[in-house]
């Protein structure tokens, strides 16, 4: 599968490069210049922690709030061939702590029911063995003693580490379409929890390669799909199609001062949650709509309030249904994700 993705990337790159080879010779490119480097720095705050459209539940982190920061950089190799190098460093935290569910204790009822069932089966199937170990004490009394002791023990401690992402790649741009591909390293966050605590990798990290074709049939519309292949941490595919619309809300002369942006997107997996200790099922993980109104305070400074509406997909709903913490503690609210959530956001961006 990895060879297949690599072949696909090489083939796509070769085809777009050959299509314009007559006009776009690498030898015609200008000298390296700092003027071709551009980027942006964004800091912001979401009212709920989220990743790829999936929103964490209140019980997971014990509270709400998720500050984030994004550094983007871009180096344009020249107008003729439309190639550029682009990268991103992304950081997200959760303000209420990182220990999942507050490191709870085992639930008394759950432990008692399990112990009683095991002791009753032993007494019925092998009375001699039961008598040798517990004498004439009834299973209910032994189970109660065991449950009282075990319910004071902590469930395996798990944590949700702050998420940091390093992404670097290349993009080829044309008037009505573009295609990007590269590598992403992820540490922490929701995916890090899955890699460390559900796949027992020992580290909250993943490596992905990605390819993203995008078409822009009109100035006010774009259609794209990010395809990601995880090659370490968890093996499998992510698919993230999206459609974005934009329109001016307020103009000053010929400049847009306030705009409206609406993004409709989903996220789905394939061959990603195929292991017995996986958290979710494959298929849809999330559906979401994000509405933003960027305010261009100056040419270089932008304030962006927004709101997102997030629905959990069927694949991620399975994780809620079989939550190990809910079973171990007997607390049905100890599920990792929200089935539906409204996420508010506010960010400030400086372009350079």
């Amino acid at each position: 599968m990895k060879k297949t993705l690599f072949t696909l990337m090489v083939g796509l790159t070769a085809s777009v490069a050959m299509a314009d080879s007559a006009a776009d010779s690498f030898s015609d490119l200008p000298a390296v210049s700092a003027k071709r480097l551009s980027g942006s720095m964004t800091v912001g705050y979401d009212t709920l922690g989220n990743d790829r459209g999936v929103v964490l539940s209140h019980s997971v982190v014990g509270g709400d709030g998720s500050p984030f920061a994004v550094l983007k950089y871009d180096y344009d190799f020249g107008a003729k061939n439309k190639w550029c190098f682009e990268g991103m460093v992304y950081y997200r935290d959760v303000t209420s702590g990182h220990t999942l569910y507050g490191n709870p204790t085992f639930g008394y009822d759950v432990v008692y029911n399990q112990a009683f069932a095991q002791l009753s089966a032993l007494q019925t199937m092998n009375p001699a063995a039961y008598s040798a170990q517990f004498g004439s004490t009834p299973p209910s009394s032994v189970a109660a003693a065991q449950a009282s002791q075990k319910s004071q023990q902590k469930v395996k401690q798990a944590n949700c580490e702050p998420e940091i992402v390093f992404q670097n790649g290349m993009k080829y741009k044309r008037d009505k379409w573009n295609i990007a591909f590269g590598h992403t390293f992820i540490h922490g966050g929701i995916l890090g929890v899955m890699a460390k605590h559900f796949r027992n990798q020992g580290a909250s990290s993943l490596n992905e390669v990605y390819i993203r074709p995008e078409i822009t049939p009109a100035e006010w519309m774009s259609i794209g799909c990010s395809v990601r292949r995880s090659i370490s941490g968890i093996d499998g595919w992510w698919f993230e199609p999206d459609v974005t619309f934009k329109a001016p809300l307020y103009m000053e002369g010929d400049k847009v001062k306030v705009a409206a942006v609406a993004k409709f997107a989903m996220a789905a997996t394939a061959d990603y949650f195929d292991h017995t200790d996986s958290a979710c099922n494959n298929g849809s993980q999330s559906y979401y709509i994000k509405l933003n109104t960027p305010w261009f305070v100056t040419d270089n400074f932008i304030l962006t309030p927004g709101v997102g509406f997030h629905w959990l997909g069927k694949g991620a709903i399975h994780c809620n249904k079989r939550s190990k913490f809910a079973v171990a503690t007997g607390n049905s609210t100890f599920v990792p994700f929200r089935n539906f959530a409204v996420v508010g956001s506010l960010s400030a961006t400086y372009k350079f």
Side-chain angles (χ1 to χ4, degrees):
M1 189 63 71
K2 295 175 184 176
K3 290 183 178 179
T4 301
L5 183 62
F6 179 78
T7 303
L8 174 63
M9 286 184 175
V10 172
L12 287 170
T13 305
S15 64
V16 295
M18 290 175 64
D20 296 280
S21 59
D24 300 334
S25 171
F26 189 82
S27 60
D28 294 334
L29 295 180
V32 174
S33 170
K35 294 180 180 180
R36 297 185 175 277
L37 179 65
S38 61
S40 64
M41 181 67 198
T42 299
V43 293
Y45 184 85
D46 285 344
T47 56
L48 296 171
N50 61 91
D51 189 15
R52 297 189 181 179
V54 176
V55 180
L56 288 169
S57 73
H58 184 94
S59 60
V60 164
V61 292
D64 303 323
S66 182
F68 61 90
V70 187
L71 171 65
K72 293 183 178 181
Y73 42 92
D74 180 294
Y75 187 85
D76 188 0
F77 289 107
K80 285 189 176 182
N81 71 344
K82 305 295 184 180
W83 280 101
C84 72
F85 169 82
E86 58 179 12
M88 174 185 72
V89 180
Y90 171 86
Y91 179 85
R92 178 181 289 278
D93 202 354
V94 285
T95 58
S96 54
H98 305 134
T99 303
L100 298 183
Y101 307 100
N103 190 22
T105 57
F106 286 93
Y108 178 88
D109 292 340
V110 174
V111 176
Y112 174 84
N113 291 335
Q114 292 176 343
F116 181 73
Q118 293 171 354
L119 292 165
S120 297
L122 178 62
Q123 188 184 49
T124 301
M125 298 175 64
N126 195 337
Y130 181 88
S131 179
Q133 187 172 0
F134 302 109
S136 59
T137 306
S140 58
S141 298
V142 179
Q146 292 180 349
S148 178
Q149 181 180 11
K150 192 175 182 182
S151 63
Q152 302 306 311
Q153 299 175 4
K154 295 288 186 182
V155 176
K156 180 188 79 170
Q157 184 168 347
N159 60 348
C160 181
E161 300 170 56
E163 181 181 19
I164 184 167
V165 177
F166 297 93
Q167 180 169 293
N168 291 284
M170 299 291 293
K171 178 181 280 189
Y172 184 81
K173 300 176 289 185
R174 282 327 222 182
D175 291 339
K176 298 293 184 180
W177 61 273
N178 65 78
I179 186 167
F181 54 88
H183 169 264
T184 306
F185 172 79
I186 304 168
H187 185 275
I190 295 176
L191 297 184
V193 168
M194 293 179 178
K196 183 174 183 179
H197 299 299
F198 290 93
R199 291 302 319 283
N200 298 314
Q201 297 295 309
S204 303
S205 60
L206 303 92
N207 282 278
E208 296 179 333
V209 290
Y210 69 89
I211 186 167
R212 178 180 169 82
E214 183 180 68
I215 61 173
T216 51
E219 292 183 356
W220 48 269
M221 179 184 184
S222 69
I223 304 170
C225 182
S226 298
V227 180
R228 300 177 180 274
R229 169 69 185 184
S230 179
I231 54 178
S232 72
I234 305 177
D235 295 331
W237 296 87
W238 277 89
F239 303 92
E240 300 170 81
D242 58 79
V243 180
T244 302
F245 302 92
K246 61 181 180 180
L249 288 182
Y250 175 69
M251 304 279 292
E252 282 189 0
D254 59 350
K255 287 187 177 182
V256 177
K257 294 299 291 183
V258 181
V261 181
K263 180 178 180 180
F264 300 81
M266 73 163 296
T269 58
D271 300 325
Y272 200 81
F273 296 114
D274 289 338
H275 301 269
T276 56
D277 55 353
S278 292
C280 306
N281 277 1
N282 285 308
S284 61
Q285 304 301 318
S286 67
Y287 303 88
Y288 56 98
I289 302 171
K290 289 187 176 181
L291 306 174
N292 295 320
T293 53
W295 171 29
F296 297 86
V297 181
T298 68
D299 291 341
N300 299 99
F301 184 65
I302 308 166
L303 287 176
T304 306
V307 61
F309 303 90
H310 299 249
W311 294 265
L312 205 60
K314 289 185 177 180
I317 287 174
H318 278 275
C319 187
N320 282 352
K321 291 182 177 178
R322 59 190 181 204
S323 168
K324 295 180 180 179
F325 281 91
V327 172
T329 62
N331 188 336
S332 61
T333 68
F334 278 7
V335 295
F337 309 128
R338 296 175 186 252
N339 287 327
F340 172 73
V342 178
V343 181
S345 65
L346 179 63
S347 65
T349 300
Y350 177 76
K351 298 170 63 178
F352 56 86

